[in-house]
Amino acid sequence: MFQLLLIEDDDIEAELILRTLRRHPSPPPCAIARDGIEALEILRGEHGRPPLPRPYIILLDLHMPRMDGLEFLRVIRQDPVLMWSIVFVLTISNHHNTLLAAYKTGIAGYFLKTKLNAGVSKLLDLLEIYCDLVEPVTYER
């Protein structure tokens, strides 16, 4: 089973995803961060807590306070441990330049929230299949 890290500053969006998780037949454990800085703290295990256990998948909103999603992606791709993180963008931004910038950082997929609507359950099914079929990169901490 994989862990899920949801990086989302909108409480309503986060609650929608959490509710869908709870209804899913095999819900993954989920940690929530409100911005990129908090997400880095969770991933690195700062403030006396252990790092987020592997395997994990990150669902990343792009528009957030303090550290937005694109900056977060640039930071983790430069970190020798976090650079292998599997990230799916989950955003309202359908601007072509934003999509290109995200894919240039090595994301696994880009989902528009407006297209998901009631399809969040399908997204979770996709993530479960992804974790079952894709061979992850192994590394030493």
Side-chain angles (χ1 to χ4, degrees):
M1 174 56 68
F2 66 95
Q3 294 269 353
L4 190 62
L5 174 58
L6 174 61
I7 309 172
E8 172 65 68
D9 66 316
D10 184 313
D11 292 338
I12 294 171
E13 295 285 342
E15 184 57 34
L16 170 69
I17 292 168
L18 289 175
R19 264 194 244 137
T20 304
L21 275 174
R22 288 190 290 266
R23 288 191 308 262
H24 197 267
S26 54
C30 183
I32 300 175
R34 295 189 53 74
D35 59 42
I37 293 171
E38 186 178 354
L40 288 171
E41 292 169 354
I42 291 169
L43 290 168
R44 292 175 174 155
E46 296 175 357
H47 306 295
R49 63 181 162 208
L52 190 69
R54 296 264 181 180
Y56 62 77
I57 290 182
I58 298 170
L59 288 180
L60 175 67
D61 185 21
L62 293 181
H63 303 288
M64 298 175 294
R66 296 198 309 163
M67 178 186 283
D68 70 17
L70 290 175
E71 179 61 22
F72 170 80
L73 286 166
R74 285 189 283 275
V75 169
I76 66 167
R77 295 307 183 218
Q78 293 175 4
D79 183 298
V81 174
L82 300 179
M83 68 188 293
W84 305 111
S85 297
I86 300 166
V87 180
F88 288 90
V89 168
L90 187 57
T91 185
I92 61 168
S93 178
N94 65 353
H95 296 354
H96 186 69
N97 289 341
T98 305
L99 181 129
L100 287 177
Y103 272 111
K104 283 181 182 179
T105 66
I107 62 168
Y110 192 99
F111 299 98
L112 293 175
K113 290 177 182 178
T114 55
K115 286 188 175 180
L116 283 179
N117 293 332
V120 175
S121 183
K122 289 181 182 178
L123 174 61
L124 294 175
D125 292 340
L126 171 73
L127 297 179
E128 190 171 49
I129 292 167
Y130 184 93
C131 286
D132 286 345
L133 297 178
V134 173
E135 197 62 34
V137 172
T138 57
Y139 62 91
E140 298 295 320
R141 271 200 193 265

Coordinates of all heavy atoms in Angstrom, one line a residue, residues 77-112:
R77 N 13.2 18.3 -6.9 CA 14.0 17.7 -8.0 C 15.5 18.0 -7.9 O 16.3 17.3 -8.5 CB 13.5 18.2 -9.4 CG 12.1 17.7 -9.7 CD 11.9 16.2 -9.6 NE 10.6 15.8 -10.0 CZ 9.9 14.9 -9.5 NH1 10.3 14.3 -8.4 NH2 8.7 14.6 -9.9
Q78 N 15.8 18.9 -7.0 CA 17.2 19.2 -6.7 C 17.7 18.5 -5.4 O 18.9 18.5 -5.1 CB 17.4 20.7 -6.5 CG 17.2 21.5 -7.8 CD 17.3 23.0 -7.6 OE1 17.6 23.5 -6.6 NE2 17.1 23.7 -8.7
D79 N 16.8 17.9 -4.7 CA 17.1 17.2 -3.5 C 17.5 15.7 -3.8 O 16.7 15.0 -4.4 CB 15.9 17.2 -2.5 CG 16.2 16.6 -1.2 OD1 16.4 15.4 -1.1 OD2 16.1 17.3 -0.2
P80 N 18.6 15.2 -3.4 CA 19.1 13.9 -3.8 C 18.2 12.7 -3.3 O 18.1 11.7 -3.9 CB 20.5 13.7 -3.2 CG 20.6 14.8 -2.3 CD 19.6 15.9 -2.6
V81 N 17.4 12.9 -2.2 CA 16.5 11.9 -1.7 C 15.1 12.1 -2.3 O 14.4 11.2 -2.7 CB 16.4 12.0 -0.2 CG1 15.4 11.0 0.4 CG2 17.8 11.6 0.4
L82 N 14.6 13.3 -2.3 CA 13.2 13.6 -2.8 C 13.1 13.7 -4.3 O 11.9 13.6 -4.8 CB 12.7 14.9 -2.1 CG 12.7 15.0 -0.6 CD1 12.2 16.4 -0.2 CD2 11.9 13.9 0.0
M83 N 14.2 13.7 -5.0 CA 14.1 13.9 -6.5 C 13.3 12.7 -7.1 O 12.8 12.9 -8.2 CB 15.5 14.0 -7.1 CG 16.3 12.8 -7.0 SD 18.0 13.0 -7.5 CE 17.8 13.4 -9.3
W84 N 13.2 11.6 -6.5 CA 12.5 10.4 -7.1 C 11.0 10.4 -6.7 O 10.3 9.5 -7.1 CB 13.2 9.2 -6.6 CG 14.7 9.1 -6.9 CD1 15.7 9.2 -6.0 CD2 15.3 9.1 -8.2 NE1 16.9 9.2 -6.7 CE2 16.7 9.2 -8.0 CE3 14.8 9.1 -9.5 CZ2 17.5 9.1 -9.1 CZ3 15.7 9.1 -10.6 CH2 17.0 9.1 -10.3
S85 N 10.6 11.4 -6.0 CA 9.1 11.4 -5.6 C 8.2 11.4 -6.8 O 8.5 12.1 -7.8 CB 8.8 12.7 -4.8 OG 9.6 12.7 -3.6
I86 N 7.2 10.6 -6.7 CA 6.1 10.5 -7.8 C 5.1 11.6 -7.5 O 4.5 11.6 -6.4 CB 5.5 9.1 -7.8 CG1 6.6 8.1 -8.1 CG2 4.4 9.1 -8.8 CD1 6.1 6.7 -7.8
V87 N 4.9 12.5 -8.4 CA 4.1 13.7 -8.2 C 3.0 13.7 -9.3 O 3.4 13.7 -10.5 CB 4.9 15.0 -8.2 CG1 3.9 16.2 -8.0 CG2 6.0 14.9 -7.1
F88 N 1.8 13.9 -8.9 CA 0.7 14.2 -9.9 C 0.2 15.5 -9.5 O -0.1 15.8 -8.3 CB -0.5 13.1 -9.7 CG -0.1 11.8 -10.3 CD1 0.4 10.8 -9.5 CD2 -0.4 11.5 -11.6 CE1 0.7 9.6 -9.9 CE2 -0.1 10.2 -12.1 CZ 0.5 9.2 -11.3
V89 N 0.1 16.4 -10.5 CA -0.5 17.7 -10.3 C -2.0 17.7 -10.3 O -2.6 17.0 -11.2 CB 0.1 18.7 -11.3 CG1 -0.7 20.0 -11.3 CG2 1.5 19.0 -11.1
L90 N -2.6 18.3 -9.4 CA -4.1 18.4 -9.3 C -4.4 19.9 -9.1 O -4.3 20.4 -8.1 CB -4.6 17.6 -8.1 CG -6.1 17.3 -7.9 CD1 -6.7 16.7 -9.1 CD2 -6.3 16.5 -6.7
T91 N -4.9 20.5 -10.2 CA -5.0 22.0 -10.2 C -6.2 22.5 -11.0 O -6.8 21.7 -11.8 CB -3.7 22.6 -10.7 OG1 -3.7 24.0 -10.6 CG2 -3.4 22.2 -12.2
I92 N -6.4 23.8 -10.9 CA -7.4 24.4 -11.8 C -6.8 25.1 -13.0 O -7.5 25.5 -13.9 CB -8.3 25.5 -11.0 CG1 -7.4 26.6 -10.4 CG2 -9.1 24.8 -9.9 CD1 -8.1 27.8 -9.9
S93 N -5.5 25.2 -13.0 CA -4.8 25.9 -14.1 C -4.7 25.0 -15.3 O -4.0 24.0 -15.3 CB -3.4 26.3 -13.6 OG -2.7 27.0 -14.7
N94 N -5.3 25.5 -16.4 CA -5.2 24.8 -17.7 C -4.3 25.6 -18.7 O -4.4 25.4 -19.9 CB -6.6 24.5 -18.3 CG -7.4 25.7 -18.6 OD1 -7.0 26.8 -18.3 ND2 -8.5 25.5 -19.3
H95 N -3.5 26.5 -18.2 CA -2.6 27.3 -19.0 C -1.5 26.4 -19.6 O -0.9 25.6 -18.8 CB -2.0 28.4 -18.3 CG -3.0 29.5 -17.8 ND1 -4.3 29.5 -18.1 CD2 -2.8 30.6 -17.0 CE1 -4.9 30.5 -17.5 NE2 -4.0 31.2 -16.9
H96 N -1.3 26.5 -20.9 CA -0.4 25.6 -21.5 C 1.0 25.7 -21.0 O 1.8 24.8 -20.7 CB -0.4 25.9 -23.0 CG 0.5 24.9 -23.8 ND1 0.2 23.6 -24.0 CD2 1.7 25.1 -24.5 CE1 1.1 23.0 -24.7 NE2 2.0 23.9 -25.0
N97 N 1.5 27.0 -20.7 CA 2.8 27.2 -20.1 C 3.0 26.6 -18.7 O 4.0 26.1 -18.4 CB 3.1 28.7 -20.1 CG 3.3 29.3 -21.4 OD1 3.6 28.6 -22.4 ND2 3.2 30.6 -21.6
T98 N 1.9 26.6 -17.9 CA 1.9 26.0 -16.6 C 2.1 24.5 -16.7 O 2.8 23.8 -16.0 CB 0.7 26.4 -15.8 OG1 0.6 27.8 -15.8 CG2 0.8 25.8 -14.4
L99 N 1.3 23.9 -17.7 CA 1.3 22.5 -17.9 C 2.7 22.1 -18.4 O 3.3 21.1 -17.8 CB 0.3 22.1 -19.0 CG 0.2 20.6 -19.3 CD1 -1.2 20.2 -19.2 CD2 0.7 20.4 -20.7
L100 N 3.3 22.8 -19.3 CA 4.7 22.5 -19.8 C 5.7 22.6 -18.6 O 6.6 21.7 -18.5 CB 5.1 23.4 -20.9 CG 4.4 23.2 -22.2 CD1 4.9 24.2 -23.2 CD2 4.7 21.8 -22.8
A101 N 5.6 23.7 -17.8 CA 6.5 23.9 -16.7 C 6.5 22.7 -15.7 O 7.5 22.2 -15.2 CB 6.2 25.2 -16.0
A102 N 5.2 22.2 -15.5 CA 5.1 21.1 -14.5 C 5.7 19.8 -15.1 O 6.4 19.1 -14.4 CB 3.6 20.9 -14.2
Y103 N 5.4 19.5 -16.4 CA 5.9 18.3 -17.0 C 7.4 18.4 -17.1 O 8.1 17.3 -17.0 CB 5.3 18.0 -18.3 CG 4.0 17.2 -18.2 CD1 2.8 17.7 -18.5 CD2 4.1 15.9 -17.8 CE1 1.6 17.0 -18.4 CE2 2.9 15.1 -17.7 CZ 1.7 15.7 -18.0 OH 0.6 14.9 -17.8
K104 N 8.0 19.5 -17.3 CA 9.5 19.7 -17.4 C 10.2 19.3 -16.1 O 11.3 19.0 -16.0 CB 9.9 21.1 -17.8 CG 9.7 21.4 -19.2 CD 10.1 22.8 -19.5 CE 9.8 23.1 -21.0 NZ 10.2 24.5 -21.4
T105 N 9.4 19.3 -15.0 CA 10.0 18.9 -13.7 C 9.8 17.4 -13.4 O 10.2 16.9 -12.4 CB 9.3 19.6 -12.5 OG1 8.0 19.2 -12.4 CG2 9.5 21.1 -12.7
G106 N 9.3 16.6 -14.4 CA 9.2 15.2 -14.2 C 8.0 14.7 -13.5 O 8.0 13.7 -12.9
I107 N 6.9 15.4 -13.6 CA 5.6 14.9 -12.9 C 5.1 13.7 -13.7 O 5.4 13.5 -14.8 CB 4.5 16.0 -12.9 CG1 4.1 16.4 -14.2 CG2 5.0 17.2 -12.0 CD1 2.8 17.3 -14.3
A108 N 4.3 12.9 -13.0 CA 3.8 11.7 -13.6 C 2.4 12.0 -14.3 O 2.0 11.2 -15.1 CB 3.6 10.6 -12.5
G109 N 1.8 13.1 -13.9 CA 0.5 13.4 -14.6 C 0.0 14.7 -14.1 O 0.4 15.2 -13.1
Y110 N -0.9 15.3 -14.9 CA -1.5 16.6 -14.7 C -3.0 16.5 -14.8 O -3.5 16.2 -15.9 CB -0.9 17.6 -15.8 CG -1.1 19.0 -15.5 CD1 -0.1 19.8 -15.0 CD2 -2.3 19.7 -15.9 CE1 -0.3 21.2 -14.8 CE2 -2.5 21.0 -15.7 CZ -1.5 21.8 -15.2 OH -1.6 23.1 -15.1
F111 N -3.7 16.7 -13.7 CA -5.1 16.6 -13.7 C -5.8 17.9 -13.4 O -5.4 18.6 -12.5 CB -5.6 15.6 -12.6 CG -5.1 14.2 -12.9 CD1 -3.9 13.8 -12.2 CD2 -5.7 13.3 -13.7 CE1 -3.4 12.5 -12.4 CE2 -5.2 12.1 -13.9 CZ -4.1 11.6 -13.3
L112 N -6.8 18.2 -14.2 CA -7.6 19.5 -13.9 C -8.7 19.1 -13.0 O -9.5 18.2 -13.2 CB -8.2 20.0 -15.2 CG -7.1 20.6 -16.2 CD1 -7.8 21.0 -17.5 CD2 -6.4 21.7 -15.6

